[in-house]
């Protein structure tokens, strides 16, 4: 599914819509996009703006209602094993959502986790002007790839 947002608030709205559809299943939200495309803005929409990019600490957990959101920034990671050492697989428990910025660096390895979690691939790209974004998302390992 593809959505277009005209500004950061609409990008956050797309994130809030996806969050509202999540059930208690372990879920990975795998974010792709160029530097500055809006990956962190998207995460802000998931947790109501109370987020800083974990570029230097790599992982920040947040408690949101009955769910735990694990925000991981893979920008500085070179090997999937570094994500494993952060405890990625251990994070995949009921009521857990793992959001990985720069997930495309480890696409095949993340895709291989579909027996552990639902996976939502979200690609954010630049639109026609400075504030517009194209947000494309695909749900893996579900009967209907665009439904949660």
């Amino acid at each position: 599914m593809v959505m277009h947002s005209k500004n950061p608030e609409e990008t956050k709205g797309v994130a809030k819509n996806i969050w509202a559809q999540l059930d208690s299943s372990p879920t990975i939200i795998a974010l792709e996009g160029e530097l500055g495309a809006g990956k962190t803005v998207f995460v802000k929409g998931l947790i109501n703006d109370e987020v800083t990019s974990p570029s230097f600490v790599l992982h920040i957990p947040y408690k949101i209602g009955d769910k735990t959101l694990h925000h991981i920034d893979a920008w500085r990671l070179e090997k999937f094993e570094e994500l494993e050492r952060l405890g990625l697989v251990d994070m995949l428990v009921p009521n857990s959502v793992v959001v990985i910025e720069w997930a495309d660096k480890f696409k095949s390895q993340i895709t291989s986790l579909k027996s552990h979690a639902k996976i939502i691939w979200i690609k954010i790209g630049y639109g026609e002007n400075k504030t517009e974004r194209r947000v494309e998302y695909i749900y893996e390992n579900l009967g209907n790839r665009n439904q949660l």
Side-chain angles (χ1 to χ4, degrees):
M1 177 174 272
V2 177
M3 305 205 53
H4 295 272
S5 73
K6 294 180 181 156
N7 55 52
E9 290 308 311
E10 286 189 11
T11 300
K12 291 176 191 175
V14 172
K16 288 177 185 181
N17 181 45
I18 290 172
W19 181 266
Q21 296 178 57
L22 297 177
D23 60 19
S24 63
S25 301
T27 303
I28 296 172
I29 298 177
L31 298 174
E32 302 178 51
E34 295 178 47
L35 188 64
K39 295 177 296 297
T40 302
V41 168
F42 183 91
V43 178
K44 286 180 179 184
L46 296 174
I47 59 178
N48 299 315
D49 287 329
E50 298 174 19
V51 63
T52 56
S53 181
S55 295
F56 295 101
V57 293
L58 304 178
H59 169 237
I60 300 174
Y62 298 91
K63 188 70 176 165
I64 305 164
D66 64 343
K67 290 184 174 44
T68 300
L69 183 145
H70 298 275
H71 185 193
I72 297 173
D73 189 326
W75 169 255
R76 296 181 332 142
L77 303 182
E78 295 180 17
K79 297 180 182 177
F80 184 72
E81 291 76 23
E82 293 171 286
L83 275 175
E84 292 177 314
R85 280 196 299 271
L86 284 174
L88 175 61
V89 174
D90 295 333
M91 294 175 200
L92 301 176
V93 297
N95 290 312
S96 178
V97 178
V98 179
V99 180
I100 306 172
E101 294 190 41
W102 302 100
D104 48 316
K105 293 174 70 174
F106 309 109
K107 193 164 198 149
S108 65
Q109 295 97 330
I110 291 171
T111 298
S112 75
L113 296 172
K114 64 185 173 186
S115 64
H116 293 82
K118 292 180 178 178
I119 303 172
I120 306 169
W121 286 95
I122 299 176
K123 185 173 184 175
I124 303 173
Y126 291 100
E128 304 240 341
N129 68 45
K130 184 177 175 181
T131 61
E132 286 182 346
R133 296 296 183 265
R134 180 180 191 274
V135 182
E136 177 180 1
Y137 52 103
I138 298 172
Y139 302 105
E140 294 230 0
N141 64 324
L142 302 172
N144 180 337
R145 292 174 58 101
N146 290 322
Q147 298 293 321
L148 291 173

